Amino acid sequence: MTHERVYAGIRQGATILVTLFGLLVLTFCIGRLMPVDPVRAIIGEEADAATYRMVAERLGMDRPVYEQFLRYLGDILTGNFGVSIRTGQSVINDIAHVMPATIELATFAIICGAGLGIPLGILAAVRRNRLTDHVIRVVTLLGHSMPIFWIGMIGLIVFYATLGLVGGGGRMSDYNIGLAPETTGFLLIDAALAGDWEVFHDAVNHLVLPASILGYSSMAYITRMTRSFMLDQLNQEYVVTARVKGLSNSRTIWYHAFANIRVQLVTIVALAYGSLLEGAVLIETVFSWPGFGQYMTNNMLVGDMNAVMTCVLIVGIIFICLNLLSDVLYKVFDPRTR
Amino acid sequence: MNVLTKAVAAAMLGTIPFATLALAETPPNQLVVGFSMSNILTLDPAAITGKETVQVLANIYEGLVSLDPVNRSQANPQLAESWAISEDSKSITFKMRSGAKFASGNPVTAEDVVWSFKRLMKLNLAQASFLKTHGFSAANADASFAAPDPSTVVITLPKKVDPQIIVLTLGIVGPGSVLDSKTVMANEANGDMGGAWLTTHSAGSGPFVLQEWKSNERVLLSRNDNHWGKEAAMRRIIMRHLPESQSQRLMLEKGDIDVAFSMSAADLTALQSNKDVVVQTIGGSGFYYLAVSMKDEKFNKPKVREALRYLIDYEGLNATVLPFFGKPHDRPIQTGLLGALPDAGYKLNVEKAKALLAEAGYPEGFSTTLRALSDAPFLNLATAIQASLAQGGIKAEVITGSGDQIYGAMRERKFELLVGRGGGGQLPHPDSNLRAIAYNPNNADDAKLTNFQGWRTSFYDEKLNKMIDDALIETDTKRQVTRYGEIQTYYADMVPSIQPFSEVVDSVASRADVKGLALNPSWSTDLSTITKAR
């Protein structure tokens, strides 16, 4: 039994390594095929051939592609992720700086998304094919099908420009920049630690709109999944039995049916959170939000491969961790899978 | 069901944000500026590319001279109080201003100036091109730049050129920027002459000092209390990365930013009716043009190129696609520069173009490709030109892409037609335009002279090269003006590979209570003169 477990562990570890390696190879190839030239980005449109050669040599771009890749792998294995062309900083420092902004955004969004999505999904399932269900389905269909950058723009025009209820682009108003010391990089936490409630309030004011819009789109997904999980359970025999035994409706739903879909819900919320961490590109652009999504896009546009590869690795690792987490949770909550 | 309904209601209430009316006014002693900073890769004056970085550094570094915002061909004293050109036009001697200090408190000496220029040539990055064009190189830098005493700089010209062009070049942010050599060298790593450190730090003598740069997020400048000139009214300048024109417009209308540098024509048009906002337009650098590759047998025929000249709707493009971006101009020297002639006055003339095409052997027209960047205004220009070419029977398929794809193809000399922007002009001297757009000293494929649009379009004319070289070394200004006139006439008669239809202008929008914003061409506006009427 223990042997089997050890083997399973090794198998899983090997799978993860192969996945990450494949991811790196694929990203590197795509990066090389993309019509962007980092050397040109550095030297500009007007530089001559001698300057081009000099910079290409300095970046190692004059070596054969396989050699560049091997060198890159060697660096990674020694923990050196290189320096970003676009910022001149080490890639790890850059990412450490942009990640908190995205985590702040994604966390708030998932709280909105799951906090609304799960109850709505259950409600829709319980009131299946009645007016409530239809309304909820229309709302989630809209959230799923409207382009997020468009909702973002409309949101800015309505809530910021017209009503003046929330702040505009960025994480805070410009005149508050640099007032609260950056201890964690999480603006809300930093402002709270510094006891600067004005900055805190300003940061909330800027976070609300992009996070709600992101939350709305993840809410759409969570609601639809919750509804279908719940419908599955409500059609099971034990629910019918429970009702026949005279259990109240809400007790049946919450204590029996809901308890059985908890694990599935944790999984989809975790996956939704993962995709928010890397998929907030459009919203980050519309709201000039200096986060991970924007960092990755901007680096792709200039062919800053060190930064792009590290970003892809991080996204890969996030998803692998989330998958592992949901595996573990299944084992914990569902004895049948042990 | 009650419980469930309550749960949903509670969840909804819990996620409704607590928001109050946002305060939307920038503080009176801080200036907030918005533009797209995607192209800012470094703040080292020797390595920068692109006008956005120039706009940042123009407020941090100074040169021996500065370029006048109104009269573009005039250099004003800055760190140099005066300068004199030798009798034989082979050297320029600058007398330094006394009492100027860097932000660090170190005095600005002639040594710093010479060190900065040598560093520029030795690093040999983007900004070295300006001086390399005139014969300066890493090899001759030691011989070219000298400081006989702490207040004198002598520049010896490596080859015969108009000394005035060198003076003007030293007024450009980048090649002309003077660095604090002691501070930079204290932060040198691996013999990089401070390159890595200067990416994110500053060592200048300008009215502001770099407090922080966060790539694609913001640049913070704070007032330099050691500055020798008039103290800036603004304590801080906050430059925000706002990639979307629409967000710049919204924030400007709300008063969250004071100045917006990179907005689309549509948004600028919409702002014109807003009395709280002022839009200013100023000459930029270079042209919008239609280029052909002379490697292509069709475009190698002068008649075909002439036909193309009559298939551009000059008025239409400038009136519909280029408001705020360009103004009508069809000559290779920008308006306001030495010797610039008034327009030749080309017009769309389909009949004439058809006749020319028939003479060239294409009575039915032909098919070709037209390349353009996929962003504004290039895509719209390409679509409009595609339509006017079609009237003459030329079916052009539009190919769009990124800078690397479009200009990359041009650098490889593998294209047919291209709508582009360029042609020098950051240096306010006609030579800068002509060298970028028409000059080509060597037309061989392996010469790889990608910095000359002439080479990129495989356009080679020995007589024109000589005319350009001769005009530059003409010491008598009157005769020089005549020579530049002759060059433009010759250029028009020979129908070259690049036909400008508009010259670049830049448009900047600001809040009406922002005073003293004197725009400088080429994005080198000094923000220290700004005050707020509040």
Side-chain angles (χ1 to χ4, degrees), chain A residues 35 37 41 45-46 48 51 54 86-87 89 97 115-116 127 160 165 174 182 201 298, chain B residues 1 4 11-12 20 22 32 41 123 126 132 200 214-216 240 256 404 411 451 456:
Chain A
D37 183 353
E45 194 56 38
E46 306 303 329
D48 59 15
T51 301
M54 182 186 81
R86 213 172 45 78
T87 64
Q89 306 292 306
H97 174 73
L116 277 172
R127 307 245 174 132
Y160 162 68
L165 287 173
D174 299 299
E182 255 190 64
H201 181 241
N298 287 326
Chain B
M1 221 39 264
L4 193 57
M12 282 191 163
T20 54
V32 186
L41 301 174
L123 289 178
K132 274 158 58 179
T200 50
K214 292 207 162 133
S215 172
N216 273 11
R240 291 265 319 256
D256 279 345
D404 277 317
R411 281 193 297 265
N451 44 326
R456 292 189 194 187

mmCIF file of all heavy atoms in Angstrom, chain A residues 35 37 41 45-46 48 51 54 86-87 89 97 115-116 127 160 165 174 182 201 298, chain B residues 1 4 11-12 20 22 32 41 123 126 132 200 214-216 240 256 404 411 451 456:
data_model
loop_
_atom_site.group_PDB
_atom_site.id
_atom_site.type_symbol
_atom_site.label_atom_id
_atom_site.label_comp_id
_atom_site.label_asym_id
_atom_site.label_seq_id
_atom_site.Cartn_x
_atom_site.Cartn_y
_atom_site.Cartn_z
ATOM 1 N N PRO A 35 6.794 37.522 -34.513
ATOM 2 C CA PRO A 35 7.514 38.533 -35.297
ATOM 3 C C PRO A 35 7.914 39.730 -34.446
ATOM 4 O O PRO A 35 7.570 40.852 -34.758
ATOM 5 C CB PRO A 35 6.487 38.924 -36.362
ATOM 6 C CG PRO A 35 5.175 38.695 -35.699
ATOM 7 C CD PRO A 35 5.366 37.571 -34.743
ATOM 8 N N ASP A 37 11.284 41.564 -32.294
ATOM 9 C CA ASP A 37 12.731 41.564 -32.259
ATOM 10 C C ASP A 37 13.197 42.381 -31.054
ATOM 11 O O ASP A 37 13.175 43.606 -31.088
ATOM 12 C CB ASP A 37 13.238 42.183 -33.564
ATOM 13 C CG ASP A 37 14.749 42.147 -33.650
ATOM 14 O OD1 ASP A 37 15.389 41.771 -32.654
ATOM 15 O OD2 ASP A 37 15.281 42.500 -34.716
ATOM 16 N N ALA A 41 13.880 46.492 -30.322
ATOM 17 C CA ALA A 41 13.189 47.244 -29.270
ATOM 18 C C ALA A 41 14.190 48.045 -28.443
ATOM 19 O O ALA A 41 13.911 49.164 -28.030
ATOM 20 C CB ALA A 41 12.403 46.290 -28.368
ATOM 21 N N GLU A 45 14.484 52.370 -33.996
ATOM 22 C CA GLU A 45 14.287 52.258 -35.444
ATOM 23 C C GLU A 45 15.486 52.784 -36.235
ATOM 24 O O GLU A 45 15.748 52.340 -37.338
ATOM 25 C CB GLU A 45 13.015 53.057 -35.783
ATOM 26 C CG GLU A 45 12.426 52.835 -37.136
ATOM 27 C CD GLU A 45 12.107 51.374 -37.436
ATOM 28 O OE1 GLU A 45 11.652 50.641 -36.540
ATOM 29 O OE2 GLU A 45 12.335 50.985 -38.577
ATOM 30 N N GLU A 46 16.210 53.752 -35.680
ATOM 31 C CA GLU A 46 17.210 54.463 -36.488
ATOM 32 C C GLU A 46 18.633 53.931 -36.364
ATOM 33 O O GLU A 46 19.536 54.416 -37.026
ATOM 34 C CB GLU A 46 17.215 55.960 -36.103
ATOM 35 C CG GLU A 46 15.858 56.645 -36.179
ATOM 36 C CD GLU A 46 15.225 56.552 -37.561
ATOM 37 O OE1 GLU A 46 15.984 56.513 -38.553
ATOM 38 O OE2 GLU A 46 13.990 56.484 -37.658
ATOM 39 N N ASP A 48 22.142 51.763 -36.513
ATOM 40 C CA ASP A 48 22.770 51.107 -37.653
ATOM 41 C C ASP A 48 23.109 49.640 -37.351
ATOM 42 O O ASP A 48 22.900 49.146 -36.254
ATOM 43 C CB ASP A 48 24.022 51.881 -38.096
ATOM 44 C CG ASP A 48 25.049 51.983 -36.975
ATOM 45 O OD1 ASP A 48 24.923 51.227 -35.994
ATOM 46 O OD2 ASP A 48 25.962 52.813 -37.083
ATOM 47 N N THR A 51 25.538 48.670 -34.320
ATOM 48 C CA THR A 51 24.898 48.700 -33.003
ATOM 49 C C THR A 51 24.025 47.457 -32.835
ATOM 50 O O THR A 51 24.005 46.844 -31.771
ATOM 51 C CB THR A 51 24.034 49.973 -32.882
ATOM 52 O OG1 THR A 51 24.870 51.107 -33.063
ATOM 53 C CG2 THR A 51 23.363 50.060 -31.536
ATOM 54 N N MET A 54 26.143 44.445 -32.030
ATOM 55 C CA MET A 54 26.717 44.535 -30.688
ATOM 56 C C MET A 54 25.700 44.105 -29.627
ATOM 57 O O MET A 54 26.000 43.314 -28.729
ATOM 58 C CB MET A 54 27.170 45.978 -30.450
ATOM 59 C CG MET A 54 27.839 46.207 -29.121
ATOM 60 S SD MET A 54 28.163 47.979 -28.905
ATOM 61 C CE MET A 54 26.558 48.562 -28.363
ATOM 62 N N ARG A 86 12.903 45.035 -20.771
ATOM 63 C CA ARG A 86 12.031 46.203 -20.792
ATOM 64 C C ARG A 86 12.157 47.057 -19.527
ATOM 65 O O ARG A 86 11.833 48.233 -19.546
ATOM 66 C CB ARG A 86 10.589 45.748 -20.969
ATOM 67 C CG ARG A 86 9.734 46.703 -21.756
ATOM 68 C CD ARG A 86 8.399 46.087 -22.041
ATOM 69 N NE ARG A 86 7.857 45.453 -20.868
ATOM 70 C CZ ARG A 86 7.297 46.104 -19.886
ATOM 71 N NH1 ARG A 86 7.169 47.384 -19.931
ATOM 72 N NH2 ARG A 86 6.837 45.460 -18.830
ATOM 73 N N THR A 87 12.591 46.446 -18.444
ATOM 74 C CA THR A 87 12.640 47.236 -17.212
ATOM 75 C C THR A 87 14.051 47.311 -16.653
ATOM 76 O O THR A 87 14.310 48.086 -15.739
ATOM 77 C CB THR A 87 11.744 46.623 -16.125
ATOM 78 O OG1 THR A 87 12.266 45.338 -15.798
ATOM 79 C CG2 THR A 87 10.326 46.480 -16.609
ATOM 80 N N GLN A 89 15.373 45.343 -14.755
ATOM 81 C CA GLN A 89 15.409 44.762 -13.416
ATOM 82 C C GLN A 89 15.402 43.250 -13.527
ATOM 83 O O GLN A 89 15.055 42.701 -14.564
ATOM 84 C CB GLN A 89 14.146 45.188 -12.637
ATOM 85 C CG GLN A 89 13.931 46.670 -12.590
ATOM 86 C CD GLN A 89 14.979 47.357 -11.758
ATOM 87 O OE1 GLN A 89 15.202 47.009 -10.607
ATOM 88 N NE2 GLN A 89 15.681 48.306 -12.344
ATOM 89 N N HIS A 97 6.877 42.627 -7.801
ATOM 90 C CA HIS A 97 6.274 43.959 -7.682
ATOM 91 C C HIS A 97 4.879 44.031 -8.307
ATOM 92 O O HIS A 97 4.010 44.730 -7.798
ATOM 93 C CB HIS A 97 7.188 45.010 -8.326
ATOM 94 C CG HIS A 97 6.571 46.357 -8.369
ATOM 95 N ND1 HIS A 97 6.418 47.137 -7.243
ATOM 96 C CD2 HIS A 97 5.999 47.054 -9.379
ATOM 97 C CE1 HIS A 97 5.797 48.253 -7.574
ATOM 98 N NE2 HIS A 97 5.530 48.229 -8.865
ATOM 99 N N GLY A 115 -19.106 34.691 -3.952
ATOM 100 C CA GLY A 115 -20.101 35.105 -2.951
ATOM 101 C C GLY A 115 -21.477 35.255 -3.564
ATOM 102 O O GLY A 115 -22.491 34.971 -2.931
ATOM 103 N N LEU A 116 -21.517 35.693 -4.802
ATOM 104 C CA LEU A 116 -22.810 35.831 -5.487
ATOM 105 C C LEU A 116 -23.143 34.590 -6.295
ATOM 106 O O LEU A 116 -24.290 34.150 -6.345
ATOM 107 C CB LEU A 116 -22.769 37.033 -6.440
ATOM 108 C CG LEU A 116 -23.033 38.395 -5.830
ATOM 109 C CD1 LEU A 116 -22.767 39.465 -6.857
ATOM 110 C CD2 LEU A 116 -24.478 38.492 -5.361
ATOM 111 N N ARG A 127 -35.120 26.559 -8.092
ATOM 112 C CA ARG A 127 -36.318 27.094 -8.772
ATOM 113 C C ARG A 127 -36.257 26.804 -10.267
ATOM 114 O O ARG A 127 -36.575 27.677 -11.084
ATOM 115 C CB ARG A 127 -36.364 28.616 -8.589
ATOM 116 C CG ARG A 127 -36.260 29.041 -7.165
ATOM 117 C CD ARG A 127 -37.531 29.702 -6.750
ATOM 118 N NE ARG A 127 -37.499 30.000 -5.337
ATOM 119 C CZ ARG A 127 -37.837 31.170 -4.844
ATOM 120 N NH1 ARG A 127 -38.196 32.137 -5.652
ATOM 121 N NH2 ARG A 127 -37.852 31.357 -3.545
ATOM 122 N N TYR A 160 -17.428 56.251 -13.144
ATOM 123 C CA TYR A 160 -16.337 57.189 -12.844
ATOM 124 C C TYR A 160 -16.598 58.555 -13.479
ATOM 125 O O TYR A 160 -16.685 59.559 -12.785
ATOM 126 C CB TYR A 160 -15.001 56.595 -13.318
ATOM 127 C CG TYR A 160 -13.886 57.599 -13.463
ATOM 128 C CD1 TYR A 160 -13.339 58.222 -12.341
ATOM 129 C CD2 TYR A 160 -13.381 57.933 -14.721
ATOM 130 C CE1 TYR A 160 -12.318 59.159 -12.479
ATOM 131 C CE2 TYR A 160 -12.374 58.859 -14.858
ATOM 132 C CZ TYR A 160 -11.840 59.471 -13.742
ATOM 133 O OH TYR A 160 -10.838 60.384 -13.872
ATOM 134 N N LEU A 165 -18.676 58.117 -8.782
ATOM 135 C CA LEU A 165 -18.784 57.294 -7.572
ATOM 136 C C LEU A 165 -17.477 56.613 -7.211
ATOM 137 O O LEU A 165 -17.197 56.346 -6.048
ATOM 138 C CB LEU A 165 -19.857 56.218 -7.767
ATOM 139 C CG LEU A 165 -21.296 56.711 -7.738
ATOM 140 C CD1 LEU A 165 -22.241 55.585 -8.102
ATOM 141 C CD2 LEU A 165 -21.639 57.243 -6.354
ATOM 142 N N ASP A 174 -3.371 59.940 -8.053
ATOM 143 C CA ASP A 174 -1.952 60.276 -8.193
ATOM 144 C C ASP A 174 -1.370 61.002 -7.001
ATOM 145 O O ASP A 174 -0.228 60.815 -6.638
ATOM 146 C CB ASP A 174 -1.760 61.115 -9.450
ATOM 147 C CG ASP A 174 -2.194 60.340 -10.662
ATOM 148 O OD1 ASP A 174 -1.596 59.286 -10.903
ATOM 149 O OD2 ASP A 174 -3.137 60.759 -11.327
ATOM 150 N N GLU A 182 5.623 51.196 1.073
ATOM 151 C CA GLU A 182 5.318 49.890 0.484
ATOM 152 C C GLU A 182 5.948 48.797 1.307
ATOM 153 O O GLU A 182 7.118 48.480 1.136
ATOM 154 C CB GLU A 182 5.893 49.843 -0.936
ATOM 155 C CG GLU A 182 4.835 49.980 -2.001
ATOM 156 C CD GLU A 182 5.373 49.694 -3.391
ATOM 157 O OE1 GLU A 182 5.776 48.555 -3.631
ATOM 158 O OE2 GLU A 182 5.373 50.615 -4.216
ATOM 159 N N HIS A 201 -9.024 54.290 1.740
ATOM 160 C CA HIS A 201 -10.321 54.555 1.135
ATOM 161 C C HIS A 201 -10.160 54.797 -0.373
ATOM 162 O O HIS A 201 -10.943 54.309 -1.192
ATOM 163 C CB HIS A 201 -10.942 55.768 1.822
ATOM 164 C CG HIS A 201 -12.292 56.108 1.275
ATOM 165 N ND1 HIS A 201 -12.565 57.307 0.686
ATOM 166 C CD2 HIS A 201 -13.427 55.388 1.208
ATOM 167 C CE1 HIS A 201 -13.827 57.304 0.280
ATOM 168 N NE2 HIS A 201 -14.372 56.156 0.597
ATOM 169 N N ASN A 298 2.887 43.244 -22.110
ATOM 170 C CA ASN A 298 3.861 44.237 -22.565
ATOM 171 C C ASN A 298 5.186 43.587 -22.924
ATOM 172 O O ASN A 298 5.852 44.006 -23.863
ATOM 173 C CB ASN A 298 4.098 45.286 -21.482
ATOM 174 C CG ASN A 298 2.916 46.208 -21.362
ATOM 175 O OD1 ASN A 298 2.263 46.508 -22.352
ATOM 176 N ND2 ASN A 298 2.604 46.643 -20.171
ATOM 177 N N MET B 1 -37.451 28.157 1.857
ATOM 178 C CA MET B 1 -36.873 28.969 0.790
ATOM 179 C C MET B 1 -36.415 30.318 1.302
ATOM 180 O O MET B 1 -35.563 30.968 0.749
ATOM 181 C CB MET B 1 -37.971 29.181 -0.279
ATOM 182 C CG MET B 1 -37.455 29.065 -1.685
ATOM 183 S SD MET B 1 -36.265 27.772 -1.884
ATOM 184 C CE MET B 1 -34.771 28.630 -1.739
ATOM 185 N N LEU B 4 -32.735 30.692 1.917
ATOM 186 C CA LEU B 4 -31.963 30.823 0.682
ATOM 187 C C LEU B 4 -32.035 32.246 0.131
ATOM 188 O O LEU B 4 -31.030 32.851 -0.224
ATOM 189 C CB LEU B 4 -32.526 29.832 -0.341
ATOM 190 C CG LEU B 4 -31.677 29.601 -1.568
ATOM 191 C CD1 LEU B 4 -30.301 29.130 -1.185
ATOM 192 C CD2 LEU B 4 -32.356 28.557 -2.440
ATOM 193 N N ALA B 11 -25.496 38.075 0.452
ATOM 194 C CA ALA B 11 -24.292 38.012 -0.377
ATOM 195 C C ALA B 11 -24.219 39.224 -1.303
ATOM 196 O O ALA B 11 -23.166 39.821 -1.497
ATOM 197 C CB ALA B 11 -24.291 36.735 -1.196
ATOM 198 N N MET B 12 -25.373 39.590 -1.853
ATOM 199 C CA MET B 12 -25.393 40.754 -2.753
ATOM 200 C C MET B 12 -25.016 42.025 -2.010
ATOM 201 O O MET B 12 -24.198 42.808 -2.462
ATOM 202 C CB MET B 12 -26.780 40.921 -3.362
ATOM 203 C CG MET B 12 -27.022 39.946 -4.494
ATOM 204 S SD MET B 12 -28.499 40.404 -5.364
ATOM 205 C CE MET B 12 -28.326 39.510 -6.875
ATOM 206 N N THR B 20 -17.891 56.457 -2.096
ATOM 207 C CA THR B 20 -18.359 57.822 -1.894
ATOM 208 C C THR B 20 -17.897 58.637 -3.080
ATOM 209 O O THR B 20 -17.161 58.153 -3.919
ATOM 210 C CB THR B 20 -17.721 58.440 -0.637
ATOM 211 O OG1 THR B 20 -16.317 58.303 -0.797
ATOM 212 C CG2 THR B 20 -18.189 57.773 0.610
ATOM 213 N N ALA B 22 -15.773 60.490 -5.364
ATOM 214 C CA ALA B 22 -14.314 60.586 -5.442
ATOM 215 C C ALA B 22 -13.901 62.037 -5.625
ATOM 216 O O ALA B 22 -14.506 62.779 -6.375
ATOM 217 C CB ALA B 22 -13.820 59.761 -6.621
ATOM 218 N N VAL B 32 0.109 66.269 -12.971
ATOM 219 C CA VAL B 32 -0.126 64.883 -13.354
ATOM 220 C C VAL B 32 -0.271 64.791 -14.870
ATOM 221 O O VAL B 32 -1.098 65.474 -15.457
ATOM 222 C CB VAL B 32 -1.376 64.317 -12.666
ATOM 223 C CG1 VAL B 32 -1.499 62.831 -12.974
ATOM 224 C CG2 VAL B 32 -1.308 64.542 -11.175
ATOM 225 N N LEU B 41 12.018 51.859 -22.206
ATOM 226 C CA LEU B 41 12.743 50.661 -21.783
ATOM 227 C C LEU B 41 13.904 51.011 -20.867
ATOM 228 O O LEU B 41 14.443 50.158 -20.194
ATOM 229 C CB LEU B 41 13.301 49.916 -22.996
ATOM 230 C CG LEU B 41 12.286 49.446 -24.040
ATOM 231 C CD1 LEU B 41 12.993 48.867 -25.239
ATOM 232 C CD2 LEU B 41 11.377 48.401 -23.448
ATOM 233 N N LEU B 123 29.544 53.642 -25.744
ATOM 234 C CA LEU B 123 28.444 52.681 -25.591
ATOM 235 C C LEU B 123 27.839 52.337 -26.949
ATOM 236 O O LEU B 123 27.306 51.256 -27.143
ATOM 237 C CB LEU B 123 27.362 53.240 -24.666
ATOM 238 C CG LEU B 123 27.736 53.341 -23.191
ATOM 239 C CD1 LEU B 123 26.588 53.943 -22.403
ATOM 240 C CD2 LEU B 123 28.071 51.962 -22.622
ATOM 241 N N ALA B 126 21.537 53.564 -29.208
ATOM 242 C CA ALA B 126 20.635 54.296 -30.114
ATOM 243 C C ALA B 126 21.031 55.754 -30.335
ATOM 244 O O ALA B 126 21.046 56.247 -31.460
ATOM 245 C CB ALA B 126 19.222 54.214 -29.565
ATOM 246 N N LYS B 132 27.348 59.897 -34.973
ATOM 247 C CA LYS B 132 28.048 59.006 -35.907
ATOM 248 C C LYS B 132 27.838 59.471 -37.340
ATOM 249 O O LYS B 132 28.745 59.381 -38.171
ATOM 250 C CB LYS B 132 27.537 57.569 -35.738
ATOM 251 C CG LYS B 132 28.278 56.823 -34.645
ATOM 252 C CD LYS B 132 27.547 55.647 -34.055
ATOM 253 C CE LYS B 132 27.145 54.556 -35.003
ATOM 254 N NZ LYS B 132 26.447 53.444 -34.307
ATOM 255 N N THR B 200 17.392 53.130 -14.194
ATOM 256 C CA THR B 200 16.324 53.503 -13.261
ATOM 257 C C THR B 200 16.706 54.651 -12.329
ATOM 258 O O THR B 200 15.994 54.911 -11.359
ATOM 259 C CB THR B 200 15.943 52.298 -12.384
ATOM 260 O OG1 THR B 200 17.147 51.764 -11.838
ATOM 261 C CG2 THR B 200 15.252 51.215 -13.186
ATOM 262 N N LYS B 214 8.607 53.147 -12.454
ATOM 263 C CA LYS B 214 8.104 51.782 -12.451
ATOM 264 C C LYS B 214 7.596 51.508 -13.852
ATOM 265 O O LYS B 214 6.633 52.131 -14.293
ATOM 266 C CB LYS B 214 6.998 51.629 -11.414
ATOM 267 C CG LYS B 214 7.579 51.756 -10.016
ATOM 268 C CD LYS B 214 6.766 51.015 -8.997
ATOM 269 C CE LYS B 214 7.607 50.800 -7.741
ATOM 270 N NZ LYS B 214 6.897 51.136 -6.540
ATOM 271 N N SER B 215 8.263 50.582 -14.523
ATOM 272 C CA SER B 215 7.965 50.330 -15.932
ATOM 273 C C SER B 215 6.478 50.128 -16.155
ATOM 274 O O SER B 215 5.828 49.391 -15.431
ATOM 275 C CB SER B 215 8.728 49.086 -16.367
ATOM 276 O OG SER B 215 8.321 48.733 -17.659
ATOM 277 N N ASN B 216 5.943 50.800 -17.165
ATOM 278 C CA ASN B 216 4.529 50.694 -17.516
ATOM 279 C C ASN B 216 3.595 50.979 -16.365
ATOM 280 O O ASN B 216 2.509 50.422 -16.281
ATOM 281 C CB ASN B 216 4.221 49.311 -18.088
ATOM 282 C CG ASN B 216 4.489 49.311 -19.570
ATOM 283 O OD1 ASN B 216 5.080 50.252 -20.089
ATOM 284 N ND2 ASN B 216 4.034 48.305 -20.261
ATOM 285 N N ARG B 240 1.866 59.261 -15.628
ATOM 286 C CA ARG B 240 1.150 57.994 -15.506
ATOM 287 C C ARG B 240 1.128 57.271 -16.832
ATOM 288 O O ARG B 240 0.917 57.875 -17.867
ATOM 289 C CB ARG B 240 -0.314 58.273 -15.107
ATOM 290 C CG ARG B 240 -0.496 58.807 -13.712
ATOM 291 C CD ARG B 240 -0.803 57.716 -12.737
ATOM 292 N NE ARG B 240 -1.735 56.740 -13.300
ATOM 293 C CZ ARG B 240 -3.024 56.679 -12.980
ATOM 294 N NH1 ARG B 240 -3.533 57.531 -12.154
ATOM 295 N NH2 ARG B 240 -3.786 55.728 -13.506
ATOM 296 N N ASP B 256 -8.535 64.479 -13.167
ATOM 297 C CA ASP B 256 -7.605 63.593 -12.475
ATOM 298 C C ASP B 256 -6.205 63.657 -13.069
ATOM 299 O O ASP B 256 -5.241 63.274 -12.432
ATOM 300 C CB ASP B 256 -8.106 62.143 -12.513
ATOM 301 C CG ASP B 256 -9.165 61.899 -11.449
ATOM 302 O OD1 ASP B 256 -9.271 62.740 -10.543
ATOM 303 O OD2 ASP B 256 -9.880 60.889 -11.535
ATOM 304 N N ASP B 404 7.756 45.537 -35.975
ATOM 305 C CA ASP B 404 8.751 44.571 -36.413
ATOM 306 C C ASP B 404 8.374 43.942 -37.750
ATOM 307 O O ASP B 404 9.237 43.656 -38.567
ATOM 308 C CB ASP B 404 8.920 43.462 -35.366
ATOM 309 C CG ASP B 404 9.862 43.906 -34.259
ATOM 310 O OD1 ASP B 404 10.894 44.501 -34.585
ATOM 311 O OD2 ASP B 404 9.547 43.667 -33.085
ATOM 312 N N ARG B 411 13.270 47.042 -43.684
ATOM 313 C CA ARG B 411 14.709 46.922 -43.394
ATOM 314 C C ARG B 411 15.329 45.773 -44.167
ATOM 315 O O ARG B 411 16.509 45.795 -44.496
ATOM 316 C CB ARG B 411 14.914 46.700 -41.894
ATOM 317 C CG ARG B 411 14.820 47.958 -41.071
ATOM 318 C CD ARG B 411 15.337 47.721 -39.659
ATOM 319 N NE ARG B 411 14.533 46.746 -38.945
ATOM 320 C CZ ARG B 411 13.526 47.067 -38.140
ATOM 321 N NH1 ARG B 411 13.221 48.325 -37.934
ATOM 322 N NH2 ARG B 411 12.837 46.137 -37.532
ATOM 323 N N ASN B 451 19.556 52.403 -41.295
ATOM 324 C CA ASN B 451 19.170 53.697 -40.726
ATOM 325 C C ASN B 451 18.850 54.733 -41.802
ATOM 326 O O ASN B 451 18.402 55.816 -41.496
ATOM 327 C CB ASN B 451 20.245 54.222 -39.765
ATOM 328 C CG ASN B 451 21.641 54.042 -40.318
ATOM 329 O OD1 ASN B 451 21.921 53.082 -41.016
ATOM 330 N ND2 ASN B 451 22.516 54.986 -40.016
ATOM 331 N N ARG B 456 16.724 51.512 -47.536
ATOM 332 C CA ARG B 456 15.623 50.563 -47.339
ATOM 333 C C ARG B 456 14.743 50.449 -48.581
ATOM 334 O O ARG B 456 14.172 49.406 -48.853
ATOM 335 C CB ARG B 456 14.733 51.015 -46.182
ATOM 336 C CG ARG B 456 15.390 50.947 -44.827
ATOM 337 C CD ARG B 456 14.322 51.216 -43.801
ATOM 338 N NE ARG B 456 14.885 51.498 -42.489
ATOM 339 C CZ ARG B 456 14.136 51.634 -41.411
ATOM 340 N NH1 ARG B 456 12.816 51.538 -41.504
ATOM 341 N NH2 ARG B 456 14.676 51.887 -40.238
#
